[in-house]
Amino acid sequence: MANHVIQCQRTDTKNRRVYKNWFVIALSGVSCGGKTTIAEKLLKDVPASRIHLSQDEYILPNDYKGHLKAPEPLTGYNKDTLNSIDMNKMMSDINYIMLNDPADIEVSSSLHSRDRKEVIGSAVKSPRPPFHGFLGENSLSPVLILDGFLLLNHSDIPPLCDKMYFITLTKEECWERRKRRTFVSPGMDAESYFEFCMWPKYLEHFQEMCSLVKNIDFIDGSDPLEDTYKHIFKDILGSLV
């Protein structure tokens, strides 16, 4: 993908907006692949102004009527689809950030990882909490770090990105990690949700993404997380100006 960050401004021709020189990173991939952990580590280590947005912040509440119904014999909802994410709100936040200088954006700076329970759906509440980020003290281009399991399946996001990473796991590896999580969903248990909802939708979305999006850096999530992080961090540092 062409490195847009060397330009002073970026134009969204579809909506006629002129963006500042934000360097945009997308971290996507299978559930439990480590994308949010890597995103939070980048937020701490990148030597520039940076903001992190997680797709989890935009998951819609349980009483939202647009969730996709889980397949029979399960009851409840399959939330592993874009139906369950407020992508209009996420794109609104992305556009707001990219249209502004970092110093003009309210951020909450903390070196502590955020609790996932507090993150889920936080951006669709009113008032929206401040963005999670830090102000840098150098001339490097500011960095917008995006993470989410369906980031690259939304057509508006890939064209904005300077770097796109996708973390993969086998079905067996994914389940070994997911079963350690606390899972609460009416009408189904964790393994049933994984077998009938999460994994089938992951395969469907993966094929869709691969057919539509180019220049993705695919990463084996079974590799040591620190090795994966070093690869991504070095790649990003080599592109910042």
Side-chain angles (χ1 to χ4, degrees):
M1 177 173 290
N3 189 342
H4 302 291
V5 76
I6 60 175
Q7 303 173 6
C8 292
Q9 294 179 320
R10 187 184 312 183
T11 303
D12 174 0
T13 55
K14 178 181 177 181
N15 297 301
R16 298 176 181 270
R17 287 182 283 249
V18 179
Y19 293 132
K20 305 291 184 177
N21 62 329
W22 285 83
F23 186 89
V24 183
I25 302 161
L27 289 161
S28 192
V30 68
S31 173
C32 297
K35 52 191 177 292
T36 300
T37 301
I38 291 170
E40 290 181 342
K41 192 164 173 51
L42 287 173
L43 186 69
K44 297 174 184 177
D45 295 346
V46 168
S49 293
R50 62 271 191 202
I51 289 176
H52 172 213
L53 292 183
S54 172
Q55 213 169 26
D56 285 351
E57 297 176 61
Y58 302 89
I59 293 176
L60 291 156
N62 289 332
D63 60 359
Y64 173 64
K65 302 301 183 183
H67 293 303
L68 191 69
K69 289 185 178 181
E72 294 182 353
L74 304 180
T75 59
Y77 299 107
N78 183 351
K79 295 184 180 179
D80 277 69
T81 75
L82 285 173
N83 296 56
S84 294
I85 303 170
D86 191 342
M87 289 305 300
N88 288 333
K89 174 60 175 168
M90 187 172 191
M91 287 308 305
S92 175
D93 285 348
I94 290 171
N95 285 319
Y96 171 79
I97 291 167
M98 295 184 68
L99 287 166
N100 286 280
D101 292 313
D104 298 327
I105 300 172
E106 183 183 4
V107 296
S108 173
S109 302
S110 173
L111 291 175
H112 299 290
S113 297
R114 295 179 292 174
D115 188 289
R116 189 169 184 270
K117 292 180 181 178
E118 297 176 2
V119 170
I120 292 176
S122 59
V124 299
K125 297 176 181 177
S126 182
R128 190 209 189 285
F131 298 111
H132 197 206
F134 296 88
L135 289 179
E137 298 180 356
N138 51 50
S139 60
L140 291 173
S141 298
V143 176
L144 176 57
I145 305 163
L146 307 174
D147 94 78
F149 64 111
L150 290 174
L151 267 184
L152 302 180
N153 290 86
H154 190 276
S155 60
D156 289 343
I157 288 183
L160 299 177
C161 296
D162 298 283
K163 294 287 184 180
M164 295 182 288
Y165 305 95
F166 192 96
I167 301 172
T168 63
L169 288 172
T170 65
K171 182 179 181 181
E172 293 72 24
E173 289 169 321
C174 184
W175 170 241
E176 279 300 310
R177 297 184 188 188
R178 270 188 72 97
K179 69 182 183 182
R180 300 174 199 150
R181 279 186 178 178
T182 300
F183 180 85
V184 180
S185 184
M188 65 190 91
D189 57 66
E191 188 169 9
S192 295
Y193 186 86
F194 178 82
E195 288 289 346
F196 290 96
C197 296
M198 185 252 126
W199 191 256
K201 281 298 179 185
Y202 164 70
L203 294 178
E204 177 186 325
H205 293 136
F206 181 80
Q207 293 299 323
E208 176 188 79
M209 178 195 71
C210 290
S211 69
L212 297 173
V213 184
K214 307 302 179 185
N215 301 311
I216 300 171
D217 185 353
F218 291 93
I219 296 171
D220 184 350
S222 65
D223 290 339
L225 188 63
E226 188 60 29
D227 292 349
T228 297
Y229 177 73
K230 287 178 180 178
H231 163 75
I232 292 174
F233 186 65
K234 182 179 179 180
D235 191 37
I236 292 167
L237 281 189
S239 302
L240 284 179
V241 296

